[in-house]
Amino acid sequence: MSKSRAQINARNRSAGKRWEADSLSGFREAGLDAERPRTTGTLDEGDLVVRHNGAMHVFELKNTKTWSYSIILDYIRQAKVEAENFGKRRNRETRYAALLKVHGKGFHDGLVVMPVSEYLKLLKGDEG
């Protein structure tokens, strides 16, 4: 028997929520200050925020089995917009990245995807 679209959507939402919870726990177990922002919709502030060395890192979390170049670019675009929303509400500069779950693997095997410009800010230790 095939599953309905509603059952598939519910399963996907559940997997996404598990990835968010696992990621929150993973960052906290690493000794980092992490939280899940509450805002959603057009003023979404990301799925996860990590504070480190004075900087605010906003992550867009994705748990999908397959990715394409254009989809990953869209995830990064979403992360940037949500980091801007987060920063505007707090008058803070933010960093951003997409955090992708690797199918069948845990938090530590996930992928952080960001533009080189964001990575260079991390290397230089710029505070947000």
Side-chain angles (χ1 to χ4, degrees), residues 23-39:
S23 297
L24 180 65
S25 295
F27 280 116
R28 287 181 174 171
E29 287 169 8
L32 297 168
D33 179 11
E35 71 173 270
R36 290 164 80 177
R38 301 282 185 249
T39 308

Side-chain angles (χ1 to χ4, degrees), residues 25-93:
S25 295
F27 280 116
R28 287 181 174 171
E29 287 169 8
L32 297 168
D33 179 11
E35 71 173 270
R36 290 164 80 177
R38 301 282 185 249
T39 308
T40 60
T42 59
L43 298 178
D44 193 350
E45 296 182 344
D47 296 321
L48 194 65
V49 175
V50 177
R51 291 171 183 80
H52 183 64
N53 290 339
M56 312 293 279
H57 303 269
V58 176
F59 290 92
E60 177 66 18
L61 277 63
K62 296 296 181 179
N63 181 0
T64 59
K65 287 184 181 181
T66 60
W67 311 302
S68 69
Y69 179 74
S70 62
I71 289 172
I72 290 173
L73 289 177
D74 186 56
Y75 295 164
I76 293 169
R77 182 199 57 76
Q78 288 175 42
K80 181 178 183 182
V81 168
E82 293 170 5
E84 289 169 352
N85 290 341
F86 186 91
K88 282 178 189 173
R89 289 201 54 198
R90 290 158 184 84
N91 198 29
R92 297 280 312 264
E93 188 176 345

Side-chain angles (χ1 to χ4, degrees), residues 107-124:
F107 170 74
H108 290 281
D109 293 311
L111 302 176
V112 175
V113 183
M114 66 178 67
V116 170
S117 60
E118 289 298 300
Y119 183 67
L120 290 174
K121 291 173 188 174
L122 289 175
L123 290 179
K124 291 193 284 184

